[in-house]
């Protein structure tokens, strides 16, 4: 059974940084693309960033240039480095395959506020 466990969220001031981690268990994700998503209060879950099996990356326009996604196949982990955070980045962040192919984890809360 695939399990996704996100961590690393917290409260940060505008302009600050956070690094999120996603531990994947239940299978080896070598050969699979992975992605980060987020859901703000009262809004639908949205895609944030994607890392391909070859390490190629894609970002939504709202985070391009500020966020960086990476993966460690040896650790079955995916990361999201978030810099220059803005209040509108406040959300619960989740990792999953493209399209949300596996059951969602509990997510990790990111709050950007002064």
């Amino acid at each position: 059974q695939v399990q996704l466990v996100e961590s690393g969220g917290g409260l940060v001031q505008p302009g600050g940084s956070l690094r999120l981690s996603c531990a994947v268990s239940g299978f080896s994700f070598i050969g699979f693309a992975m992605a980060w998503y987020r859901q703000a209060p009262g809004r639908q879950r949205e895609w944030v960033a994607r890392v391909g099996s070859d390490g190629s990356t894609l970002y939504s326009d709202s985070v391009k240039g500020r966020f960086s996604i990476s993966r460690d196949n040896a650790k079955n982990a995916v990361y999201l480095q978030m810099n220059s955070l803005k209040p509108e980045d406040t959300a619960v962040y989740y990792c999953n395959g493209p399209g949300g192919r596996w059951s969602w984890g509990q997510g990790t809360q990111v709050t950007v506020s002064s």
Side-chain angles (χ1 to χ4, degrees):
Q1 181 178 355
V2 177
Q3 284 193 319
L4 306 169
V5 180
E6 301 90 351
S7 62
L11 173 64
V12 63
Q13 292 188 342
S17 298
L18 281 174
R19 185 178 188 241
L20 306 184
S21 299
C22 171
V24 182
S25 62
F27 81 113
S28 172
F29 72 4
I30 294 175
F32 289 88
M34 293 294 294
W36 282 94
Y37 303 80
R38 66 186 181 186
Q39 185 167 21
R43 301 188 65 177
Q44 288 190 333
R45 186 175 288 148
E46 65 173 352
W47 168 77
V48 174
R50 176 188 185 276
V51 58
S53 58
D54 61 353
S56 59
T57 58
L58 286 172
Y59 300 93
S60 68
D61 288 343
S62 61
V63 306
K64 195 175 298 181
R66 299 188 298 122
F67 290 12
S68 177
I69 188 172
S70 60
R71 63 191 295 158
D72 186 332
N73 289 337
K75 295 183 178 179
N76 246 31
V78 185
Y79 306 99
L80 187 68
Q81 177 67 42
M82 307 187 297
N83 299 326
S84 302
L85 282 161
K86 304 175 181 180
E88 51 263 44
D89 295 318
T90 295
V92 179
Y93 284 71
Y94 303 86
C95 68
N96 209 315
R101 65 185 296 167
W102 297 296
S103 295
W104 295 94
Q106 84 289 349
T108 186
Q109 175 71 49
V110 172
T111 302
V112 185
S113 175
S114 55

